[in-house]
Amino acid sequence: MGAKTLYDKLWDEHVVRYDDKGTALLYIDRHLVHEVTSPQAFAGLRLAGRRPRRVETNLAVPDHNVPTLDRARGIADPVSRLQVQTLAENCAEFGITELGMADPRQGIVHVIGPEQGFTLPGMTIVCGDSHTSTHGAFGALAFGIGTSEVEHVLATQCLIQRKSRSMLIRVEGILGPGVTAKDLALTIIGGIGTAGGTGFVIEFGGEAIRALSMEGRMTLCNMAIEAGARSGLIAVDETTLEYVRGRPFAPQGARFEQAAARWRTLVSDPDAAFDRTLWFDAAAIEPQVTWGTSPEMVTPVNGRVPDPRDEPDPVKAEGMRRALEYMGLTPGTAITAIRPDKVFIGSCTNSRIEDLRAAAQVVAGRRVADNIDLALVVPGSGPIKAQAEAEGLDRVFTAAGCEWREPGCSMCLAMNADRLAPGERCASTSNRNFEGRQGPGGRTHLVSPAMAAAAAITGHFTDVRAL
Amino acid sequence: MDKFENFTGIVCPLDRANVDTDAIIPKQFLKSIERTGFGPNLFDEWRYLDQGEPGQDCRHRPRNPEFVLNDPRYQNAQILLARENFGCGSSREHAPWALADFGFRVLLAPSFADIFFNNCFKNGLLPIELAAERIEALFRTASGPEALRIAVDLPRQTLTPAGGEPISFTVDSFRKHCLLAGLDDIGLTLEHLDDIRAYEDRYQTQTPWLFPENDPETP
């Protein structure tokens, strides 16, 4: 056998069979379920008289629609309430474990998987959500699927797949102080574009990646989908194993050591060939702020809003004009002159303990600026919330004038009550700045948690390194 | 799934790159637990002048005359002509459901986002990638005073614009087969249950921790 990439290894290990046209039946180890993309899949199972093939491989949690305030009062919006209730009923009927709204472990699906040790290296992991790429941080092959595939994996424990091409993104050097995995992710997307990874699985490697914590690696792999990639991947190392050790669903004791021995092989062979390789210099990366309506519309915080007249491609230039009109921005404006109305710290990209610590460090002893109507901090899960409170981070946030909420997807996509009003501008640690993403007419600027905190206290985008 | 039949349809040109799934079907409509009924809210924020909410009767909402779907030339369009990276963003299958529910059957673009592309085939929608120059030429014709009609022939893999030469396209052979036969993927996979069982038996001995239901060492 020739040298293999990490992706080759994960793929080969999970192929049940190939058909004569080269399409694979791929075995799926774990399936995460949430309330938005699953009801029609369960309805399909019921209609066909089918049952989940292995119920224990599924874990469900409501996250998109859950309120972040007054949870004891339930969900006010009847449509949201029905969707969350439907998940609970489906899980009860089919015997699937659900971490319901009242469960202390409840949280965002891509936060709780790793946190509970449900996500393990070497697995294939799917979920009816595009940010499933997050779990690739563990050397697992993880990707988002639609509802038809949710039903398919429930019924068969497999998916019909074709292998993607492989891309290696090597990030050499070390990120500077105040520069995070989020800035790295946005820099990469700005460089290759939101379709730059289409048709690829991207492995992130190099010194800067090895130096990232698991939280940082999850942020980076989370955003792989924003580059169009099917999955993001990071090789297993001791950082991975230390994170997984002792997690509730992870193997324990001798079984853990047996598993770890196998997991240590989940790296690309040194001479493995990739279809495409790109290099980035970590030391050159600065804190990033998006200015448009696609994550690729991004610039360093000390830059300016670009001018569509400088863009030679007419389709792109038209896209820029439309984006600037939607965002209410003028070409040439300094990014640091842009003043948000709201700040959102949370989402499956940036709601983990390290993210909250980074933001708290910036706001500590300061006050949210007068022009900021709301600075919302939404931890990714119940355990993260509890840990942050044990560390006193909640008091740091509330003393500064931020709101400290219950875990969920919240203002990342505004399916619950947390949303922007038309025309409102937000500094957000989430992953998408699409039109209307945080509420119809809302204007989103994607940033890291420290950068969101810096915007909250100064009232405009600010280079956090200068604070 | 219904079988995909050949047809001749009107082309609606949507001249924007990176059209995302939030634009195709805004999130307030994802709260439905049904698979149907999304068509009236397709491209809701662009198509209507007011703010859309679930459960509205869309027939009486003010329409945005600037938006292409409201142009009289493109009424009853079945072919959507789009720009690069169409369908990026969320994995929500509500996006192809909304397009199909509206009446679209074929999507033409220089490139599609991966998950969206996959989801289309599960819903009888045929997404076709064409070279950028070809898409550009189609935009010119389709934006003319008269709507462009194209005959779609999936078995032959051709698109024939009215009065023009056939354009051939590529499609994955397995997906083509499933579309033409209207096949249910799950039924197809379950034909290989013996292979799945054999795989599980083999895999379980190597990675017992992935089968906690059978592993005596599960805590």
Side-chain angles (χ1 to χ4, degrees):
Chain A
M1 283 302 291
K4 286 183 169 188
T5 64
L6 170 55
Y7 176 45
D8 292 333
K9 292 179 186 182
L10 293 168
W11 176 269
D12 291 349
E13 205 164 277
H14 287 89
V15 173
V16 171
R17 68 187 299 278
Y18 282 106
D19 72 7
D20 54 4
K21 299 179 178 83
T23 304
L25 194 60
L26 199 70
Y27 197 76
I28 302 301
D29 293 316
R30 293 294 182 266
H31 178 212
L32 290 154
V33 183
H34 66 86
E35 77 275 22
V36 180
T37 55
S38 65
Q40 297 86 350
F42 285 114
L45 284 186
R46 205 175 284 121
L47 202 65
R50 290 173 177 143
R51 304 286 302 177
R53 175 160 176 74
R54 285 178 62 207
V55 282
E56 353 6 61
T57 64
N58 301 282
L59 181 65
V61 68
D63 57 2
H64 286 57
N65 282 279
V66 300
T68 58
L69 269 179
D70 295 334
R71 204 167 267 192
R73 291 163 62 180
I75 304 175
D77 175 358
V79 196
S80 284
R81 191 167 60 232
L82 176 63
Q83 206 168 47
V84 172
Q85 269 171 6
T86 303
L87 178 68
E89 287 163 14
N90 283 328
C91 288
E93 179 184 339
F94 290 100
I96 290 171
T97 303
E98 190 211 12
L99 310 183
M101 218 164 78
D103 191 299
R105 299 167 294 176
Q106 181 270 339
I108 305 172
V109 67
H110 305 307
V111 174
I112 63 144
E115 188 169 74
Q116 295 299 323
F118 189 75
T119 297
L120 296 174
M123 284 177 164
T124 43
I125 303 172
V126 297
C127 173
D129 189 279
S130 59
H131 291 108
T132 308
S133 60
T134 310
H135 309 265
F138 290 81
L141 181 60
F143 51 91
I145 55 177
T147 298
S148 295
E149 290 188 316
V150 168
E151 184 180 340
H152 193 281
V153 78
L154 280 166
T156 70
Q157 207 63 41
C158 293
L159 286 175
I160 299 167
Q161 293 280 304
R162 268 187 178 273
K163 198 174 175 188
S164 303
R165 288 183 291 162
S166 61
M167 184 188 294
L168 174 64
I169 294 188
R170 288 194 68 94
V171 190
E172 298 300 352
I174 292 291
L175 295 171
V179 182
T180 67
K182 181 64 162 291
D183 303 301
L184 172 57
L186 288 170
T187 301
I188 291 170
I189 295 163
I192 71 174
T194 48
T198 302
F200 287 93
V201 162
I202 301 179
E203 179 176 343
F204 299 99
E207 189 185 1
I209 308 301
R210 299 265 66 84
L212 287 177
S213 64
M214 286 315 295
E215 283 85 352
R217 294 178 189 185
M218 284 190 257
T219 300
L220 182 59
C221 288
N222 173 278
M223 296 286 285
I225 182 69
E226 306 314 329
R230 166 146 287 235
S231 302
L233 275 179
I234 293 177
V236 172
D237 62 8
E238 294 307 311
T239 305
T240 325
L241 301 183
E242 282 319 302
Y243 182 98
V244 171
R245 192 188 295 276
R247 302 263 162 195
F249 284 87
Q252 312 287 331
R255 223 8 142 224
F256 180 86
E257 297 309 326
Q258 182 193 357
R262 191 176 169 97
W263 294 340
R264 286 192 179 93
T265 67
L266 296 173
V267 298
S268 288
D269 296 332
D271 44 353
F274 288 83
D275 295 308
R276 201 173 167 202
T277 302
L278 297 172
W279 282 264
F280 283 82
D281 174 12
I285 295 172
E286 297 182 83
Q288 303 287 306
V289 181
T290 64
W291 51 265
T293 53
S294 161
E296 71 186 25
M297 296 174 168
V298 65
T299 190
V301 61
N302 297 309
R304 289 179 180 276
V305 175
D307 193 330
R309 284 175 299 187
D310 300 333
E311 171 57 55
D313 177 342
V315 175
K316 272 195 177 158
E318 181 51 31
M320 288 170 74
R321 263 188 289 277
R322 213 189 287 273
L324 290 179
E325 188 189 330
Y326 181 85
M327 294 296 289
L329 292 173
T330 316
T333 306
I335 296 294
T336 51
I338 301 173
R339 300 169 74 82
D341 307 299
K342 286 183 175 163
V343 173
F344 171 60
I345 297 172
S347 87
C348 60
T349 312
N350 280 129
S351 63
R352 298 179 180 84
I353 190 70
E354 189 179 275
D355 301 316
L356 302 183
R357 286 181 191 140
Q361 198 184 345
V362 174
V363 303
R366 298 176 164 121
R367 288 287 304 170
V368 169
D370 290 342
N371 63 304
I372 305 292
D373 300 330
L374 175 69
L376 201 56
V377 187
V378 184
S381 71
I384 290 172
K385 181 168 186 263
Q387 186 178 350
E389 289 173 355
E391 294 179 17
L393 303 184
D394 59 324
R395 292 188 298 282
V396 170
F397 286 119
T398 51
C402 301
E403 292 201 17
W404 178 249
R405 297 284 186 90
E406 301 290 336
C409 298
S410 181
M411 208 194 274
C412 172
L413 84 168
M415 278 190 75
N416 70 353
D418 308 333
R419 63 183 70 173
L420 300 180
E424 270 186 337
R425 189 179 296 287
C426 184
S428 178
T429 67
S430 53
N431 39 57
R432 291 193 176 129
N433 51 354
F434 298 160
E435 284 185 25
R437 172 80 178 179
Q438 296 191 287
R443 295 162 170 168
T444 304
H445 296 270
L446 303 177
V447 286
S448 73
M451 285 289 290
I457 58 163
T458 61
H460 56 86
F461 289 104
T462 302
D463 188 341
V464 68
R465 297 171 300 180
L467 278 181
Chain B
M1 196 169 77
D2 290 338
K3 291 178 184 174
F4 189 99
E5 310 271 1
N6 288 346
F7 71 100
T8 298
I10 290 173
V11 180
C12 177
L14 179 64
D15 197 358
R16 298 181 189 221
N18 298 311
V19 171
D20 59 77
T21 51
D22 282 85
I24 296 171
I25 183 81
K27 86 276 290 173
Q28 60 269 38
F29 306 107
L30 309 189
K31 297 179 183 183
S32 167
I33 56 171
E34 310 294 333
R35 253 175 202 270
T36 53
F38 294 100
N41 300 109
L42 176 70
F43 298 119
D44 197 275
E45 285 178 22
W46 294 338
R47 196 163 147 202
Y48 302 100
L49 293 168
D50 62 346
Q51 198 170 310
E53 289 301 332
Q56 280 167 313
D57 182 349
C58 293
R59 286 171 300 181
H60 306 300
R61 292 175 60 195
R63 289 173 189 250
N64 174 8
E66 305 286 305
F67 187 58
V68 69
L69 228 52
N70 293 326
D71 188 312
R73 278 175 295 177
Y74 309 124
Q75 294 315 296
N76 306 313
Q78 290 175 286
I79 301 171
L80 185 68
L81 177 62
R83 294 289 186 184
E84 54 263 30
N85 203 25
F86 186 82
C88 61
S90 151
S91 68
R92 62 187 70 153
E93 202 158 314
H94 310 68
W97 292 340
L99 288 160
D101 197 56
F102 179 86
F104 285 116
R105 298 175 60 197
V106 167
L107 312 174
L108 307 175
S111 62
F112 293 90
D114 188 41
I115 304 175
F116 173 81
F117 187 76
N118 219 7
N119 284 340
C120 284
F121 289 98
K122 316 279 183 194
N123 295 284
L125 266 178
L126 173 61
I128 299 173
E129 281 188 0
L130 293 175
E133 313 81 74
R134 185 74 81 179
I135 292 289
E136 197 57 56
L138 287 173
F139 263 104
R140 279 196 299 273
T141 330
S143 310
E146 289 286 318
L148 170 66
R149 286 174 181 272
I150 291 182
V152 179
D153 187 328
L154 178 55
R156 289 201 171 82
Q157 297 182 211
T158 58
L159 301 167
T160 311
E165 292 295 309
I167 302 165
S168 63
F169 64 86
T170 57
V171 58
D172 178 87
S173 53
F174 174 74
R175 285 165 159 163
K176 174 181 174 179
H177 172 66
C178 290
L179 276 180
L180 288 173
L183 285 177
D184 164 17
D185 277 3
I186 296 179
L188 280 177
T189 297
L190 288 174
E191 288 174 14
H192 304 296
L193 211 48
D194 288 345
D195 289 332
I196 298 172
R197 287 200 192 100
Y199 174 88
E200 284 174 337
D201 290 343
R202 191 170 68 243
Y203 187 46
Q204 186 164 187
T205 59
Q206 297 164 10
T207 58
W209 59 88
L210 294 180
F211 292 78
E213 67 271 32
N214 302 331
D215 186 2
E217 293 199 24
T218 298

